[in-house]
Amino acid sequence: MKAIKLIVIGLIISIAQANAQTGLESGTKYGIGEDSIRCVKNLSLYNEDFRNKNYDAAFPSWEIVFKECPAATVNIYLDGATMLKDKISKNRDAAKFEELYAYLMKVHDQRMQFFGNHPRTPTPAIKGYKAVDMLNYKRDNSEVVAEAYQLLKDAITGLKNSSSQPFWPPIWAPR
């Protein structure tokens, strides 16, 4: 597996152009030039730590990938949501909670932007996951609840018969 990663990095280095651009700036999956190397390197670093459930070590590299090459893989969003939920559960500070919650919502929004047409989880499904997280973390805020229910309605309407129960249990689960 490591040999494949080294080969991929080597290919990217040999193809890299003189002027660097991040994937976000260039509209490419990994970026162009040295930024593509940085993206692949950080993707590999965060992936390894994430697999070992070392979320604190994975998070800085994940953030670089999330910001600079958001179209690299859908796993950026799945893993990011997992790490942010872990951080929220360990958090005791109200201000830090708001920051982490906003970041989690941004992860859902950016996932819709870059992977909303994914065959497994189209935009309506992502809206449902976002709504569930909204209700899990801010069910006492009436504005958030109203927005979450609208997202759930959009999810169920958009998914029609292919919608299932994944959105239900967390909403009704006792605290």
Side-chain angles (χ1 to χ4, degrees), residues 86-152:
D86 181 66
K87 283 182 172 291
I88 289 171
S89 71
K90 293 176 181 175
N91 178 52
R92 300 288 178 241
D93 180 41
K96 186 69 174 170
F97 167 80
E98 290 299 327
E99 179 185 323
L100 293 170
Y101 173 80
Y103 210 166
L104 179 60
M105 295 300 107
K106 184 177 180 180
V107 167
H108 288 300
D109 292 338
Q110 198 164 304
R111 180 179 176 192
M112 282 186 261
Q113 178 185 353
F114 289 99
F115 290 96
N117 61 351
H118 196 275
R120 275 193 179 156
T121 49
T123 297
I126 301 167
K127 285 182 179 182
Y129 295 129
K130 181 179 179 180
V132 168
D133 285 342
M134 292 169 80
L135 292 170
N136 278 335
Y137 295 114
K138 294 219 175 182
R139 71 172 74 166
D140 297 334
N141 184 326
S142 61
E143 290 176 15
V144 171
V145 169
E147 183 183 349
Y149 277 110
Q150 184 57 51
L151 287 171
L152 284 172

Side-chain angles (χ1 to χ4, degrees), residues 12-13 15 25 60 69 111-112 122-123 127 136 139 150 164 171-172:
I12 290 172
I13 291 171
I15 296 173
E25 293 167 348
C69 42
R111 180 179 176 192
M112 282 186 261
T123 297
K127 285 182 179 182
N136 278 335
R139 71 172 74 166
Q150 184 57 51
S164 61
I171 297 169
W172 307 114

Side-chain angles (χ1 to χ4, degrees), residues 41-112:
K41 179 182 115 187
N42 282 295
L43 188 60
S44 176
L45 288 173
Y46 111 74
N47 227 348
E48 199 63 37
D49 286 326
F50 182 83
R51 263 188 275 166
N52 294 320
K53 297 188 188 232
N54 189 357
Y55 299 148
D56 291 334
F59 197 76
S61 296
W62 172 84
E63 265 189 313
I64 292 169
V65 173
F66 178 75
K67 292 176 182 173
E68 294 181 8
C69 42
T73 174
V74 72
N75 290 339
I76 296 168
Y77 304 100
L78 301 173
D79 299 345
T82 300
M83 287 188 285
L84 285 164
K85 289 175 188 178
D86 181 66
K87 283 182 172 291
I88 289 171
S89 71
K90 293 176 181 175
N91 178 52
R92 300 288 178 241
D93 180 41
K96 186 69 174 170
F97 167 80
E98 290 299 327
E99 179 185 323
L100 293 170
Y101 173 80
Y103 210 166
L104 179 60
M105 295 300 107
K106 184 177 180 180
V107 167
H108 288 300
D109 292 338
Q110 198 164 304
R111 180 179 176 192
M112 282 186 261

